[in-house]
Amino acid sequence: MSDIIWRGVAMGIGGTVFMDLWAIILHRFFGQSAPNWAPVGRWFWHLPKGKVFHDNIASAPPYKHENALGWISHYAVGILYGILLALIVPAGWFGTPTFALPWLVGIVTVAAGWFLLQPGLGIGWAASKTPNPWKVRALNLVAHTIFALGMFVIALLLSR
């Protein structure tokens, strides 16, 4: 069982790294805004206080280390998703991994962003309060596909 957990941790880290590299590419070559994990850190900081949904996370009391907490949370969630994938794959999958299951997990986990994190930050269900919600949704789907690709690549490396 611990082997499965460690494989999940590796896939989660790998997927998150792929997602971050994708964000760098979008920022440097296509002018997309760089990710800002501070609001996510602020949101996570307020969760234990019982505040899940904010009208605007920028109006919530700040936390001194919210950017660091945002980055840590980003990787912790990626690791959690990697472990989830490792626990649901059929026996033998790690011997010959396929892309379908990581991609399914990647796409399904978009729902956590759309229906928990984004409304929690005050940008609405599935980014509905942003200037271009369909662009945000499309970028979310692509980013989670890249995350899935990263998990798959790590699974391939672990299968050798």
Side-chain angles (χ1 to χ4, degrees):
M1 180 60 126
S2 67
D3 183 55
I4 290 172
I5 300 299
W6 284 114
R7 287 174 185 264
V9 169
M11 289 189 305
I13 291 170
T16 307
V17 168
F18 267 56
M19 182 185 276
D20 290 338
L21 291 173
W22 176 246
I24 290 168
I25 290 168
L26 288 177
H27 177 65
R28 292 211 177 137
F29 299 106
F30 299 99
Q32 184 65 37
S33 297
N36 178 6
W37 293 104
V40 174
R42 186 177 295 186
W43 181 74
F44 270 100
W45 180 253
H46 286 277
L47 283 177
K49 298 168 180 56
K51 185 71 172 170
V52 178
F53 298 103
H54 298 263
D55 292 328
N56 181 350
I57 194 67
S59 301
Y63 167 57
K64 183 178 179 180
H65 305 289
E66 61 193 18
N67 192 46
L69 181 58
W71 276 100
I72 291 166
S73 302
H74 172 55
Y75 274 82
V77 169
I79 290 167
L80 180 68
Y81 292 158
I83 293 170
L84 172 70
L85 173 61
L87 291 172
I88 66 168
V89 296
W93 183 84
F94 280 106
T96 55
T98 59
F99 182 65
L101 286 173
W103 187 65
L104 179 63
V105 168
I107 295 303
V108 168
T109 59
V110 170
W114 285 357
F115 303 115
L116 180 62
L117 179 62
Q118 290 173 355
L121 296 173
I123 64 172
W125 303 102
S128 62
K129 294 181 181 178
T130 62
N132 193 344
W134 285 104
K135 178 182 177 186
V136 174
R137 293 169 191 154
L139 287 170
N140 293 157
L141 288 167
V142 172
H144 278 247
T145 298
I146 298 294
F147 172 74
L149 179 62
M151 291 197 298
F152 173 62
V153 167
I154 296 302
L156 283 174
L157 292 173
L158 293 173
S159 71
R160 296 178 182 245

